[in-house]
Each structure stands twice: as C-alpha cells, then as structure tokens.
Amino acid sequence: MIKLLIVEDELITRRGLMRHVPWKKIGVDAVETAENADEAFGICARWQPDIVLSDIKMRGMDGIEMCRQLRSLLPDCQIIFVSSYSYKEYLKAAIELGAIQYVEKPVVLEELIGAVEKGIERIAQIKKQKALQDSYTESMDFLKREALFSLLSTPEDVKKLECQLRRSGLWDSGDTRMRIGIVKLAGTVDDTGEFVRFYREKLQIFMAEEQFYCNMDFHDNRTLILLATGTKSMLDRDGELIRALCVLAMESKGEYRHFLAVGAMVEEPGKLYASYQSACQSAGCLSYKGFASFAFCGEAPADRYFEVEKDQEEAFVGALSRREKEEAIRILEQIYAQLITEKAALNSSVKNMYFLLYSHIQQLEKELLTGEGRERRESGRFWDNAQTLEELHTFVAARAMEAIEAREREGTGGNAVIFQVIEVMKQRYSDKSLCIKDLADAVYLTPSYLSGLFKRRTGTTINQYLTNMRIDQAKKLLRDNSLKLYHVADLVGYEDAAYFARIFKAQTGMTPSEYKENKNL
C-alpha cells in the first residue's frame, strides 16, 4: 500500500492536486493533506507516508527544513518538491535530501505523475532490498542455530560438521579452542531474544575491551546452549571469557537468575559432542549448588538412591502431631544438610523422599481441612518443575510451618470461634440467604476449615445446627394462633412453607399443624 502526503499552504493548489491527479490509477492507495509543517509532522508520526509532496515556500517552517527533520522520522520516505521558485539554494537542498524531483509551478500534470511513479518504483526497490537483507539474516540465524544444535549429537560426518560451522561463522581452523556451556534458568523465559540480548550485554561489560565469540540459542525456555570459541588462554578455567561467564552466573538474580555448567575445552568440532556431554553431567550439580552458581566439567552429583531414615520420619511425624515447629524444621534441616553434603542429584528417589515428608503434612492438613485441593495443584506444578534441593526443602518446610500454625490456631481459639459463629446464627437465623460462607467470612476462616472445626467441637454440622435453631424458634412462634404457617416459615428463614413443613416433621416427628394442636409439648 502506497501512502502520499501533500503539504501545501494554498487551499486552491491542495484541492487541485487532489482532484486532477489520478492517484489510484498511478499506484497511490491513500492521500492525505496538510496545510503547514506542524500539521505534517503530526500526520507523519501517525500515518507514516511513503511519499511526501511538499511546497517549499510556506508560512512558518519552509518545506526544505520540514523534510530535513522528517528524514530522521521516515528515512525511506520519498520526497518531491513543488515550487514557484527555482533558486539554486533550493535545488541544492533538494539534491542533498535525495528528493526524487523538483517540480516547478504551475504544475505540469504529466511531469508530476512521472515524479510520483519514480517514487513508487524507488519504494519497491527499497522494500525488495530489505526483504533480501531480512532473508539473509534469517538464513544466517537459521544456519547458526542448526550448526549449534548439530553439536548436541554424535557427528556422522566430521568434515561436513566443520564445513557447516565455517559457513555459519562459528569456527575457523587455526589456534581455536571451543567449549560448550549450558545455562539453566530458575524460571521460564517468555522472550528468549530479550534474554540473549541481556546476556550478551552483561558479558560484554565483564569482558571490557577483550575480543570474544560466544554463540548462544535456547534449547527450551529454561535452557540456553552456549558455544564459546577463542584462544586457549581465553577458554582456560581461569581464562577471561570463562571467568566472565562464571561471574555473570554468580551475580544473576531476579527473573534471570541462572546456573552455568561448563563443558570440556576441545580443539576440533568433532569433539564438541564430548564437551556437551561433560556440560550435561556438570549441569546436574545444580541440584545441590543451587542457582547463582556454576560447575565445571569433572564435577557431577551423586546420582544414586536416597531415602529418609525411619527414625527421622517418625521424629518428623511426632513433631507435627505435637505442634513442635522448631523440632519439625530441625529434622528437615538435618535431612537437607545430609543431601547437600552427599551432593545428591535431584533424581526420583530424592523427590520421593520429600513427597513422603509432604504426605505427612497433608495428613495433618486434611485433619484440619485446610489443604483441600492443594495436593492436586501442587503435585502437577511444583514437583515437576523443582530443579534444586533448596526448592524442595523450602517448599516442604513452609508447608510444615503452615500446618502446625493452623493446628495451634485451632487449639487456642477454636472454642471462641464456635461461640462467635453460633452468635451470628442467633442474630441471622431468619435470613434466608445465610450460608456457611457468610459464617466463615464473619470469623475470617475458609468455609472448609470452619466446617471441620465446627463438627469437631460440637459433634454436628453447621447446617444441622442452624436447622435445629430454626426449628426451636418455629416451635415458639407456632404457639401464637395469630400467625399463619407461611408467616412462621418466613420468620425462621424458609421461603417455601411446604418445604418448612417437611423439615419440621423430620425434626419433630409431627407436622406444624399437629404441633399447634399440642401446645403443651
């Protein structure tokens, strides 16, 4: 779509250009007009025209200065000047601005149409060049990505791999060394391109003036693969580039907090897969080292079977039942410290250990009715995504504290809460909309927690207790002969008199009418 803006301070000329030039026929899809430079700037910022057809001599800012300023906003915009004056200064300025043509007034229609068509042709050329450049950039990016990830498997043809790396600019023969690195992020990254830009900028700061090459791309939205290339001294364990990568990991925080695993240094592309394998092995150290740290090739976690000792499990269950927060946390800290000391891998046995401890907490929560529905949500979310022992320990310790504190609240304030709820029932039993949620809100508890607490303390449910209260009040009201059955039902919170009669009979063994006849009851 080609858009053209006419900037002309004479109304007659603007209207004449709009009326007499066959814009659609010559390839212009939309035309707007402006009376002066200020109005033109507003339209250009909003509309971004492809061609500006401007008078030179205008009130306020002239067309030359206006187009000079527009160049920074719209560098590819094509300019055509129209003027009654043919001063050399104007012609020179038009040439400097790269104007398509300088058309003198009175305008010859064929000359103006030729200038516009020339502008349209130039726009097409610019778009074609940009498309080719974008295609080349995308091809190079794709080639680099393909070359990088081809390193993550055993090469079938080393020569082909070397050729691919050279073509993508990732490697050249000579005194070049290479290392694969793996960056594990604490959370998922939605905009991977933004993280790569951030990572490169930070790395450049640490490297100062040193020249380095580090290609990188995301394997998934939590894992970045690095290919570092350089001299042996730069890629040594104490080399400038490797030190910078390690410092960047240690200083990471917030949403970009990460762990770095460094693979072995190799001399030729055919050995890069071995570097990647060693980096994968080192990446397992994340389990006990945690984020904001790093591991080198040769470091690996203890990937063996772990389980909670029976006496530790029993002691933990006892601490939960006795509401001993400090003791429960001490046992969890002891288990966590043991795993860290033994450099435990985060394998299924370790996750099962913590899930066993968590199941005891859940049991306590079920007794309190505070953990309803939590198991399903957290099992599918947390246990699958945890990457470190610290995360497992922190999660289970926090849940243990919550469960014990809930039990303490029940023990110290349970009776007071029940008395408060009963008082609310006495005041609102005639309210037909009264429900368990209203009662729970009145005492700042969840409905499920209040229901469980009420049943344990009174031996009956909230609904049954409220029904008993309403029927007791109905008995008193039925002794008044002036009240009809539907009046009584309404006064004790029942909208349907027939339903009230059924409830009354179920509770007392007789209908409201029978009860009325036996007032002495």
Side-chain angles (χ1 to χ4, degrees):
M1 179 178 181
I2 300 295
K3 297 177 288 185
L4 183 144
L5 172 64
I6 299 170
V7 187
E8 170 62 64
D9 60 352
E10 294 181 3
L11 178 61
I12 294 175
T13 304
R14 286 201 309 274
R15 286 179 175 175
L17 290 171
M18 287 292 291
R19 184 180 302 116
H20 297 297
V21 179
W23 299 112
K24 291 283 185 182
K25 187 176 180 180
I26 64 176
V28 177
D29 301 288
V31 181
E32 286 202 17
T33 63
E35 186 178 355
N36 52 49
D38 289 338
E39 188 179 350
F41 286 136
I43 294 173
C44 286
R46 165 181 59 81
W47 197 50
Q48 298 188 340
D50 300 291
I51 302 173
V52 171
L53 175 62
S54 175
D55 190 9
I56 290 181
K57 199 73 173 174
M58 296 187 295
R59 289 183 291 274
M61 184 183 294
D62 66 30
I64 296 290
E65 182 57 30
M66 179 194 74
C67 288
R68 187 174 284 120
Q69 293 187 27
L70 279 179
R71 270 282 175 245
S72 59
L73 177 65
L74 302 170
D76 295 330
C77 181
Q78 303 304 302
I79 298 169
I80 302 172
F81 284 118
V82 177
S83 179
S84 302
Y85 307 92
S86 56
Y87 298 146
K88 287 183 179 179
E89 291 76 10
Y90 289 164
L91 294 170
K92 183 180 177 182
I95 292 169
E96 289 174 353
L97 285 169
I100 298 169
Q101 199 160 324
Y102 191 102
V103 179
E104 292 186 13
K105 293 181 180 179
V107 175
V108 176
L109 193 60
E110 290 76 12
E111 186 181 0
L112 178 60
I113 289 173
V116 173
E117 288 176 339
K118 191 187 297 182
I120 293 172
E121 185 179 342
R122 193 178 290 182
I123 290 165
Q125 290 173 351
I126 291 172
K127 288 181 178 179
K128 185 177 180 180
Q129 288 172 355
K130 283 191 171 183
L132 287 171
Q133 182 61 44
D134 290 344
S135 176
Y136 174 76
T137 302
E138 288 176 7
S139 296
M140 284 304 296
D141 289 343
F142 176 77
L143 188 60
K144 286 182 178 181
R145 180 178 174 80
E146 287 294 299
L148 178 61
F149 287 109
S150 68
L151 305 174
L152 309 187
S153 57
T154 306
E156 296 179 3
D157 187 337
V158 174
K159 291 295 182 183
K160 182 179 178 181
L161 176 61
E162 289 180 3
C163 180
Q164 192 176 16
L165 290 172
R166 281 198 189 95
R167 285 175 57 206
S168 61
L170 297 179
W171 178 74
D172 57 16
S173 54
D175 188 27
T176 302
R177 300 291 192 276
M178 294 165 282
R179 278 187 189 269
I180 293 290
I182 298 176
V183 172
K184 290 280 189 180
L185 283 104
T188 58
V189 176
D190 294 326
D191 189 344
T192 55
E194 177 62 29
F195 177 80
V196 169
R197 286 189 291 274
F198 162 83
Y199 197 82
R200 285 189 185 281
E201 288 171 6
K202 284 288 187 181
L203 194 54
Q204 188 67 62
I205 292 170
F206 287 126
M207 291 295 292
E209 298 301 319
E210 291 288 335
Q211 294 296 316
F212 70 96
Y213 191 84
C214 190
N215 190 63
M216 59 192 77
D217 212 326
F218 272 83
H219 189 259
D220 56 51
N221 58 4
R222 297 181 79 165
T223 308
L224 183 73
I225 306 297
L226 306 174
L227 170 60
T229 60
T231 62
K232 182 178 183 298
S233 61
M234 185 178 284
L235 293 187
D236 267 336
R237 184 164 181 154
D238 295 323
E240 194 73 23
L241 178 54
I242 300 303
R243 280 211 318 269
L245 290 168
C246 292
V247 170
L248 185 53
M250 288 189 295
E251 294 189 357
S252 66
K253 54 188 175 182
E255 62 178 326
Y256 290 159
R257 194 162 56 104
H258 63 270
F259 173 85
L260 171 69
V262 183
M265 182 166 61
V266 297
E267 300 177 11
E268 54 190 69
K271 296 179 180 178
L272 276 170
Y273 178 59
S275 180
Y276 172 67
Q277 285 183 309
S278 64
C280 288
Q281 191 176 42
S282 300
C285 297
L286 168 62
S287 63
Y288 65 89
K289 286 193 171 188
F291 290 102
S293 61
F294 60 87
F296 275 92
C297 54
E299 295 182 80
D303 192 7
R304 61 177 180 79
Y305 182 80
F306 290 89
E307 64 180 343
V308 181
E309 294 179 9
K310 198 65 180 173
D311 59 339
Q312 286 179 318
E313 182 185 357
E314 291 174 355
F316 181 67
V317 173
L320 289 177
S321 63
R322 294 190 300 273
R323 292 177 261 169
E324 296 174 351
K325 283 187 289 188
E326 291 77 8
E327 178 61 12
I329 299 303
R330 186 194 67 78
I331 295 167
L332 291 175
E333 291 280 4
Q334 184 184 54
I335 293 169
Y336 175 59
Q338 288 172 345
L339 291 171
I340 294 293
T341 300
E342 296 186 42
K343 300 180 178 180
L346 197 62
N347 56 27
S348 58
S349 69
V350 171
K351 287 192 175 184
N352 287 338
M353 279 179 59
Y354 276 101
F355 195 79
L356 172 64
L357 297 168
Y358 180 53
S359 67
H360 294 304
I361 298 169
Q362 283 185 303
Q363 187 58 43
L364 179 61
E365 287 182 327
K366 285 176 181 176
E367 292 174 9
L368 297 168
L369 294 179
T370 60
E372 192 173 304
R374 177 181 283 168
E375 179 181 357
R376 288 190 299 276
R377 293 194 304 272
E378 290 172 347
S379 293
R381 182 176 64 240
F382 175 78
W383 300 102
D384 291 340
N385 294 333
Q387 299 186 81
T388 66
L389 294 170
E390 181 183 16
E391 288 175 286
L392 292 177
H393 167 71
T394 302
F395 175 80
V396 173
R399 293 296 178 268
M401 290 285 283
E402 287 178 11
I404 293 173
E405 287 171 359
R407 174 61 67 87
E408 287 177 342
R409 285 196 299 273
E410 180 184 339
T412 56
N415 289 333
V417 167
I418 298 305
F419 292 143
Q420 190 177 349
V421 169
I422 291 173
E423 192 60 35
V424 173
M425 286 189 200
K426 287 179 180 178
Q427 294 171 8
R428 295 185 56 189
Y429 68 85
S430 62
D431 183 353
K432 301 173 184 62
S433 65
L434 182 62
C435 62
I436 294 176
K437 186 179 183 305
D438 295 335
L439 298 171
D441 288 345
V443 292
Y444 307 104
L445 294 174
T446 64
S448 59
Y449 181 79
L450 176 61
S451 296
L453 180 62
F454 195 94
K455 178 72 182 291
R456 288 194 296 278
R457 294 302 172 91
T458 65
T460 188
T461 65
I462 291 176
N463 283 330
Q464 186 59 54
Y465 196 96
L466 180 59
T467 298
N468 292 341
M469 183 179 291
R470 284 170 166 167
I471 296 303
D472 286 343
Q473 292 300 319
K475 287 178 180 178
K476 296 175 184 177
L477 294 171
L478 286 169
R479 291 170 184 160
D480 186 346
N481 289 327
S482 65
L483 293 174
K484 301 293 184 182
L485 179 61
Y486 63 86
H487 286 146
V488 174
D490 183 69
L491 290 170
V492 296
Y494 292 99
E495 196 166 0
D496 186 344
Y499 177 70
F500 162 66
R502 289 198 298 274
I503 295 294
F504 191 93
K505 185 172 183 180
Q507 291 290 109
T508 64
M510 61 182 75
T511 65
S513 300
E514 291 171 341
Y515 186 85
K516 258 193 164 188
E517 294 172 2
N518 296 275
K519 293 179 184 178
N520 58 331
L521 294 175

